[in-house]
Amino acid sequence: MTTVGLIGSGNIGGTLARLAVAAGHDVVLSNSRGPETLTDLVAELGPRARAATPAEAAAAGDLVVVTIPLRAYREVPAAPLAGRTVIDTNNYYPERDGHFPELDDESTTTSELLQAHLPESRVVKAFNNIYFAHLRALARPAGAADRSALPIAGDDAGAKAAVTAFLDSVGYDAVDVGPLAEGWRFQRDTAAYAGLYSADPNDWERPAARNAEQVRAALAAARRYADS
């Protein structure tokens, strides 16, 4: 089993921690407020979970999930993540994060920014395009007829293989979109973003399974913001 370090333990981080523990992984949780603020979540998760600082979670994880507001990406500790596979769940919301000119003009992507900050790590974009409640509700065992797929993007084949195996363990198939530069295809407000896993626009929080073929179709339909 894998030890999963989490830098950020909010909605997505907490959901991934629950799925990981249910799959038999150990988790090391962290946030910006300190390990003592994670007591309740650690107690809920049980003996496979512990709280730590972000640097400690980074050092402990075989896989490390960065799931924080994009504006704080430069605070992710680089040294303990050297040589590690890092899953990036970030999305760009200018009203929350402030404006990044290189994202506004679409000359790069959120995960490429994190990769540049972590030059000795192997960044894979994943889990950013699904609402946290859907992520928890749609997990299914391998072979289930209603199993959903999630897109991933990354520049390192070995890292993508590790993330694909982790997705499989927590209940999802993976659709490889290609390099990090193609991660824009499932960024905010694209066809493959959160609404893809919603059953009905008028009942948005009701989840709907989406298989690999459906995810690939949504990715193919993606348009750059400038072209939308």
Side-chain angles (χ1 to χ4, degrees):
M1 291 293 104
T2 296
T3 296
V4 181
L6 291 122
I7 299 177
S9 300
N11 288 334
I12 289 290
T15 299
L16 283 174
R18 292 177 177 94
L19 292 175
V21 165
H25 301 296
D26 294 328
V27 298
V28 182
L29 301 144
S30 72
N31 63 18
S32 61
R33 295 176 294 134
E36 66 280 359
T37 67
L38 294 166
T39 301
D40 290 346
L41 181 56
V42 168
E44 175 194 335
L45 293 171
R48 288 195 175 274
R50 65 182 176 91
T53 66
E56 290 166 343
D62 302 308
L63 288 174
V64 179
V65 181
V66 173
T67 180
I68 58 176
L70 178 66
R71 64 176 182 268
Y73 85 90
R74 295 182 186 90
E75 298 172 18
V76 175
L81 289 172
R84 299 185 188 274
T85 295
V86 176
I87 300 175
D88 174 40
T89 80
N90 284 335
N91 289 302
Y92 175 42
Y93 289 95
E95 63 275 17
R96 178 196 66 187
D97 301 314
H99 280 277
F100 288 70
E102 64 270 51
L103 297 178
D104 290 338
D105 67 16
E106 300 185 89
S107 60
T108 192
T109 64
T110 58
S111 295
E112 288 176 290
L113 285 181
L114 185 63
Q115 180 67 84
H117 175 66
L118 303 173
E120 296 183 49
S121 303
R122 300 180 295 270
V123 174
V124 177
K125 186 179 186 72
F127 298 115
N128 70 292
N129 74 315
I130 185 168
Y131 180 49
F132 76 94
H134 294 171
L135 177 62
R136 189 169 188 184
L138 290 173
R140 298 290 187 276
D146 61 344
R147 201 182 208 211
S148 289
L150 294 171
I152 66 171
D155 296 336
D156 184 278
K160 286 195 285 188
V163 173
T164 296
F166 177 64
L167 261 70
D168 181 56
S169 74
V170 299
Y172 288 88
D173 295 330
V175 172
D176 187 349
V177 181
L180 284 180
E182 288 295 295
W184 70 269
R185 291 188 176 275
F186 52 106
Q187 68 188 2
R188 176 181 53 83
D189 297 336
T190 58
Y193 196 58
L196 173 63
Y197 301 94
S198 178
D200 183 342
N202 297 315
D203 186 11
W204 194 85
E205 293 198 7
R206 184 161 59 92
R210 297 292 184 248
N211 61 30
E213 181 179 353
Q214 292 169 310
V215 172
R216 289 191 186 99
L219 292 163
R223 296 292 179 268
R224 296 277 189 179
Y225 294 145
D227 299 326
S228 299

